Amino acid sequence: MRILIADDHRLIVEGVKLKLAELGPDTEFVIAMDMAELREAIHAPNASSLTLALVDLAMPGVQGSEHLTEVVEQLPDVPVIVLSGSEDPGLMKDLLAMGVQGFIPKAYSPEVMLSAVRLVLSGGVYVPPLLLQERGNGAGAAPMTMPSSTSSWQAPSASQDSLEERLRKLLTERQIDVLRLLSQGKPNKLIARDLGISEGTVKIHLAAIFRALNVRNRVEAVVASRRISGI
């Protein structure tokens, strides 16, 4: 397992390495402490062998979130988790819509970080509870929960909400757009063109859509989406 850690604070890097070493004795780390090193890491000949990328939102040499876009597009098969000192729900939504697989505020504990990483490695998307609360307008809605070390993503019961309402809580607006185009039978290439994103980003969004619909493949997702009148 090779994990990229991109952060310009040495103490944070060492702390993350120490905790993620619990994933297994074969865990290796690639470190980038600024934009130049991050770009070198994601363009390296063996970059495709990375298992996971944890990337700080603010690093020397970066402009906004462009470095995250570059990582997602350059490594479409590598899940990306954002590490950030910010807990702004709007920022979280934007980054999840971009195609990252998780957002971990640096104020969270090492145990939460490890559980979130395990969830993402198992194919899930980690969404901070505060964003879920914000989506639920303070009503306590929590379609995803804080993962434990052995948890996997589970779609919530539809007993409380309609399928449409549940999907709008689980998916970002961009993922809803992808779902809408998917229901029209469009292939990834056309979805990417219509939305102005890469095919790799489309694949990331589709993975989240499959989990939200509790389906296994594209065909089942299309069938399920056509039962949703408001999408």
Side-chain angles (χ1 to χ4, degrees), residues 2 5 21 42 45 67 75 86 88 91 96 106 128 138 140 169 172 191-192 222:
R2 297 181 69 241
I5 303 174
I42 65 175
H67 63 304
L75 304 174
S86 172
D88 176 18
L91 175 63
L96 289 167
K106 291 183 178 179
K169 292 176 183 178
T172 65
I191 293 175
V222 171

Side-chain angles (χ1 to χ4, degrees), residues 12-34:
I12 290 178
V13 170
E14 293 303 322
V16 171
K17 286 173 59 179
L18 181 64
K19 194 62 184 178
L20 294 189
E22 296 181 24
L23 292 170
D26 60 341
T27 304
E28 300 178 3
F29 298 100
V30 177
I31 308 301
M33 302 195 72
D34 56 33

Side-chain angles (χ1 to χ4, degrees), residues 119 125-129 132 142-148 151-154:
L119 179 65
V125 175
Y126 179 75
V127 180
L132 299 176
M144 293 184 201
T145 59
M146 294 279 282
S148 69
S151 68
S152 59
W153 191 92
Q154 294 290 332

Side-chain angles (χ1 to χ4, degrees), residues 4 10 20 34 36 40 43 46 52-53 111 122 142 145 156 158-159 197-198 203 205 210 215 221 226:
L4 169 62
R10 177 60 66 180
L20 294 189
D34 56 33
E40 180 181 357
H43 288 274
N46 62 344
L52 176 73
E111 288 73 22
S122 70
T145 59
S159 60
I197 58 179
S198 70
K203 292 178 182 178
H205 289 327
F210 293 169
V215 299
R226 291 177 177 172

Side-chain angles (χ1 to χ4, degrees), residues 163-179:
L163 181 56
E164 178 189 346
E165 292 171 335
R166 179 165 64 83
L167 287 177
R168 290 193 179 279
K169 292 176 183 178
L170 290 173
L171 300 177
T172 65
E173 286 302 317
R174 178 47 58 89
Q175 288 165 349
I176 292 292
D177 291 338
V178 172
L179 176 59

Side-chain angles (χ1 to χ4, degrees), residues 97 162-188 190-192 194-195 197 201-231:
S162 71
L163 181 56
E164 178 189 346
E165 292 171 335
R166 179 165 64 83
L167 287 177
R168 290 193 179 279
K169 292 176 183 178
L170 290 173
L171 300 177
T172 65
E173 286 302 317
R174 178 47 58 89
Q175 288 165 349
I176 292 292
D177 291 338
V178 172
L179 176 59
R180 186 178 298 112
L181 295 175
L182 175 69
S183 70
Q184 297 171 13
K186 292 191 175 183
N188 290 359
L190 290 182
I191 293 175
D194 288 352
L195 298 180
I197 58 179
T201 300
V202 172
K203 292 178 182 178
I204 292 173
H205 289 327
L206 288 176
I209 290 167
F210 293 169
R211 288 188 295 272
L213 292 172
N214 195 25
V215 299
R216 295 168 295 178
N217 55 51
R218 189 185 192 90
V219 174
E220 291 181 358
V222 171
V223 173
S225 67
R226 291 177 177 172
R227 299 198 305 265
I228 308 168
S229 59
I231 295 300

